[in-house]
Amino acid sequence: MSGGLTIIVSGPGRSTAKFTVKDGELTIGRADSNDIVLPNISVSRRHARLVANGGVYLIIDIVSTNGTYLNGRRLMGPAGIAPSDLIHIGAFTLEIAGETAERTQVRPLQPFEARDATEAALLGAIGEGDDANRQVYGDWLEERGHMREAEFIRLQQTLVGMVPEAPELESSWQRLRALAAALDFRWRVRVARPAIEQCEDAPAFELRCPKDWGSLALTDREDVRHCSACKKHVYYCSTVPEARSHASLGECVALDLRAMRWKGDVKPPYGVAYCPSCHADVGRPPNLECPRCGASLYREVMVGRLIR
């Protein structure tokens, strides 16, 4: 890429534009003094930098209010970018031109390390969709004193078979959430069975995608699986903001049990309102408080009040 990297910018209030990054730096933000101006309140005045040096390209967030996202994950430090990557800044999308390269994986999730060969084999079978081995795995965990993991596996299977009107459904879900709080997130990714959300390609006669996370095909990433029904990747998300970031790209998501949720939390619109306290994209909530952290979605200004 000695000729530089092409950035295609799209979003509200501007037509699609292209920028070329060679050696040097481009600044991105709401202020007119930036090289790439994104005129929207969801973007900080000085939001991010694109740095190029000797064929290496980095995106750097400048401690912005709403964060900078690379392929659906919020940046926690400088990150390398390559063709086919997508950068989200507020309501804008910056696409790194190129169709053949795979997207950069930001902070890839490390896999759960099985405690012995038997557990590895059981987890492998479960990953391939063998439900019968879930009961076997529950017995294996209990025999070795891993009582919370065993209860999680069994209770989860019970919930899958429950009818929506079952009186014990809510208490069982609460117990499952309590167990999840004490268990390794990486382990939950391997065995959890949350429903798939925001699937727009499910059959017309289905109210939602008929798959759950545990039924999907494994990929080379722990937190990404493939749905054979809609032919798309599904992303396992630990928080609602992470899920909203993927959903805004038209991607399917599965949300971890520990995610703090609210009604319509993963549905559009995206990039309309941001919480000034926790910086989460909260769409268009039905009240004036952040459904995630409870903070006011309004801030005082010298003339009246302005929604964030």
Side-chain angles (χ1 to χ4, degrees), residues 8 16 37 48 50 61 71 85 98 101 115 126 129 144 157 175 179-181 184 201 204 218 237 265 295 300:
I8 302 173
T16 300
V37 180
L50 278 167
D61 184 82
N71 300 330
D85 281 344
R115 285 158 278 208
I126 290 171
R144 284 151 183 79
Q157 289 303 99
R175 176 56 182 165
L179 287 168
D184 189 333
D201 299 314
L218 301 175
C237 302
D265 51 11
E300 296 284 350

Side-chain angles (χ1 to χ4, degrees), residues 109-115 119-129 134 137 152-153 156 184-194 212-216 218-219 221-223 225 236 256:
L109 182 68
Q110 295 300 311
F112 172 77
E113 294 185 7
R115 285 158 278 208
E119 183 176 29
L122 288 168
L123 286 172
I126 290 171
E128 294 296 331
R134 288 181 178 270
Y137 186 37
F152 184 92
I153 290 288
Q156 186 172 237
D184 189 333
F185 175 76
R186 298 172 304 161
W187 181 80
R188 297 204 307 275
V189 172
R190 296 291 296 273
V191 303
R193 301 196 61 178
D212 66 60
W213 177 256
S215 305
L216 304 181
L218 301 175
T219 71
R221 282 183 54 178
E222 286 290 301
D223 54 351
R225 294 189 180 181
Y236 193 99
D256 185 66

Side-chain angles (χ1 to χ4, degrees), residues 81-146:
I81 55 176
S84 293
D85 281 344
L86 291 176
I87 299 169
H88 277 77
I89 293 179
F92 295 86
T93 299
L94 284 70
E95 179 181 358
I96 313 303
E99 300 179 353
T100 58
E102 294 184 357
R103 291 185 184 178
T104 304
Q105 293 184 12
V106 182
R107 294 184 294 134
L109 182 68
Q110 295 300 311
F112 172 77
E113 294 185 7
R115 285 158 278 208
D116 64 19
T118 300
E119 183 176 29
L122 288 168
L123 286 172
I126 290 171
E128 294 296 331
D130 186 346
D131 260 13
N133 270 290
R134 288 181 178 270
Q135 181 60 49
V136 177
Y137 186 37
D139 294 340
W140 182 93
L141 289 165
E142 188 173 77
E143 289 169 2
R144 284 151 183 79
H146 305 300

